Amino acid sequence: MVTILLATYNGEDYIRQQLDSLLNQTHKKLSILISDDQSTDRTPEIINEYKKKYPEQIQSLIHIKPSGSPQNNFFRLLSAADDDYIMLCDQDDIWLPDKVEVTLNEMKRLESQWGKDLPLLVHGDLSVTDEEGTIRHPSMAKFQKIAVYDNRFTHYLVENNITGNTIMINRSFLPFFSYLPKQCMMHDWWLGLLASCFGKISYVDRPLLLYRQHGGNQVGSKSGLEQYINRLTQKERSKEQYQKMFLQARSFLNQYGKEMDKEKKEALEQFVQLPNRSRLNKVRIILKYKFYKSTVIRTFGQMLSI
């Protein structure tokens, strides 16, 4: 059985299309668990409408207070999940009809190779659309120049190449959600760290959904050039992002350091000390442990920014 975790907040404009795309999947053995973060629009009303219409497939969590962020809302869902396979879902996308089927087939291929006891994560590409659903960029991975096949732990320390709304994880991941990180850039980045450290990751090289870009998106899709320009023109924001990245790494080390293998732990210990090194030593350590981003120019920028 597959459980889809749907995080919502003020999503009345698009949530019907998303729910319909989930219910019309070619793989029928699925359930939908929704966590609404105290929306003030008609989102709760729409959710209740679908729950009454599909009582065996759709359930929702009840919250007394807001979670505080999209990642916290997803971690609430992950803490409540209990199924063989878990998928993450945003409120304003449209899943292609065979998304669950294709992702599950790849997950089962991974399990046949590595076994079910290992934490496994499957993710994939997506197409970027405008508010009306017209495709603007057929492949976000190509548009953003993302190194989707670089699954090294040292890569995930400096960059996330996983888009959360394409993720499927297996049951062996669930024990990790008894601990919720206090310092976390985004939930999908944290899952990437866990999978690259303790499990395996696989990528489906085709669009699995339509990723809608609109004014209310928490995270948008920018080209590689746009991201580079932003880093040059918004130096304070870039500095803040690096600070958060190191806090996330230190949180991971504090929680899982004793469980990590020697090589990964050494790399992580060296990484969290990078801000305290001289510029020359920073460059030397980045090269030695291969703390590489998706492109050479991004890695070079990192050498100058940390």
Side-chain angles (χ1 to χ4, degrees):
M1 188 76 169
V2 176
T3 294
I4 298 170
L5 305 182
L6 171 56
T8 64
Y9 177 70
N10 288 351
E12 65 178 1
D13 291 339
Y14 308 114
I15 191 172
R16 288 184 185 276
Q17 281 184 288
Q18 177 64 296
L19 284 169
D20 288 341
S21 76
L22 304 184
L23 293 164
N24 290 323
Q25 288 291 301
T26 56
H27 181 85
K28 300 301 182 183
K29 294 182 179 179
L30 58 83
S31 62
I32 303 167
L33 180 61
I34 303 174
S35 175
D36 183 69
D37 213 4
Q38 296 200 332
S39 294
T40 56
D41 66 359
R42 294 182 61 251
T43 300
E45 179 183 332
I46 296 170
I47 291 171
N48 287 331
E49 174 191 327
Y50 273 78
K51 283 173 63 178
K52 290 178 181 178
K53 191 174 181 180
Y54 303 96
E56 295 184 358
Q57 285 185 276
I58 301 178
Q59 296 180 326
S60 62
L61 303 178
I62 298 175
H63 305 303
I64 299 175
K65 60 181 180 178
S67 70
S69 67
Q71 60 262 40
N72 288 345
N73 199 16
F74 270 112
F75 279 126
R76 278 176 168 177
L77 282 162
L78 288 164
S79 298
D82 184 21
D83 211 336
D84 291 334
Y85 306 105
I86 308 295
M87 302 185 77
L88 306 187
C89 180
D90 292 339
Q91 65 187 4
D92 41 15
D93 303 325
I94 298 175
W95 284 21
L96 298 182
D98 62 348
K99 180 181 188 296
V100 176
E101 181 180 357
V102 169
T103 311
L104 182 59
N105 287 342
E106 179 60 18
M107 174 63 77
K108 290 186 175 179
R109 187 195 68 78
L110 272 187
E111 289 183 335
S112 68
Q113 181 178 2
W114 300 103
K116 294 185 177 182
D117 295 333
L118 202 65
L120 303 174
L121 185 152
V122 176
H123 66 116
D125 203 356
L126 46 84
S127 295
V128 182
T129 78
D130 60 18
E131 291 189 25
E132 303 303 319
T134 302
I135 294 176
R136 297 304 185 190
H137 306 287
S139 167
M140 193 170 89
K142 291 184 175 70
F143 177 60
Q144 291 194 326
K145 294 181 171 59
I146 303 171
V148 291
Y149 293 106
D150 188 349
N151 294 324
R152 297 171 301 108
F153 177 64
T154 53
H155 172 74
Y156 281 98
L157 286 173
V158 298
E159 186 179 70
N160 177 33
N161 66 12
I162 294 172
T163 309
N165 53 7
T166 70
I167 285 177
M168 174 184 281
I169 56 176
N170 65 348
R171 181 178 287 277
S172 293
F173 246 103
L174 298 185
F176 287 107
F177 305 128
S178 60
Y179 167 79
L180 302 184
K182 294 181 180 179
Q183 303 290 345
C184 170
M185 298 285 283
M186 280 298 288
H187 57 283
D188 48 10
W189 196 339
W190 191 259
L191 294 182
L193 284 168
L194 287 170
S196 62
C197 186
F198 299 111
K200 298 293 179 181
I201 300 172
S202 184
Y203 176 73
V204 177
D205 189 15
R206 53 155 282 194
L208 299 172
L209 59 91
L210 304 181
Y211 175 52
R212 194 192 309 265
Q213 289 286 276
H214 57 83
N217 282 57
Q218 289 292 329
V219 180
S221 170
K222 293 182 174 63
S223 69
L225 179 60
E226 287 174 315
Q227 293 178 49
Y228 179 65
I229 292 173
N230 281 349
R231 291 189 184 96
L232 291 178
T233 58
Q234 301 178 20
K235 290 186 178 180
E236 283 304 313
R237 190 181 187 305
S238 178
K239 181 179 179 181
E240 181 183 340
Q241 291 299 101
Y242 275 115
Q243 289 173 343
K244 289 180 179 179
M245 183 178 73
F246 284 108
L247 287 173
Q248 174 176 258
R250 189 171 293 279
S251 177
F252 196 91
L253 178 61
N254 290 340
Q255 180 61 26
Y256 300 113
K258 293 180 181 179
E259 303 171 39
M260 298 173 66
D261 67 41
K262 183 179 179 180
E263 183 178 339
K264 290 188 177 73
K265 184 179 180 182
E266 178 185 329
L268 181 53
E269 289 173 335
Q270 289 293 325
F271 181 73
V272 297
Q273 292 299 321
L274 267 181
N276 304 321
R277 308 291 188 189
S278 68
R279 179 65 56 199
L280 183 62
N281 276 333
K282 287 175 182 177
V283 173
R284 181 182 63 81
I285 292 170
I286 287 171
L287 293 173
K288 178 180 179 180
Y289 292 95
K290 295 184 171 63
F291 297 128
Y292 298 158
K293 288 179 175 281
S294 288
T295 65
V296 172
I297 193 168
R298 290 177 198 169
T299 302
F300 181 70
Q302 173 181 257
M303 290 176 177
L304 298 178
S305 300
I306 293 177

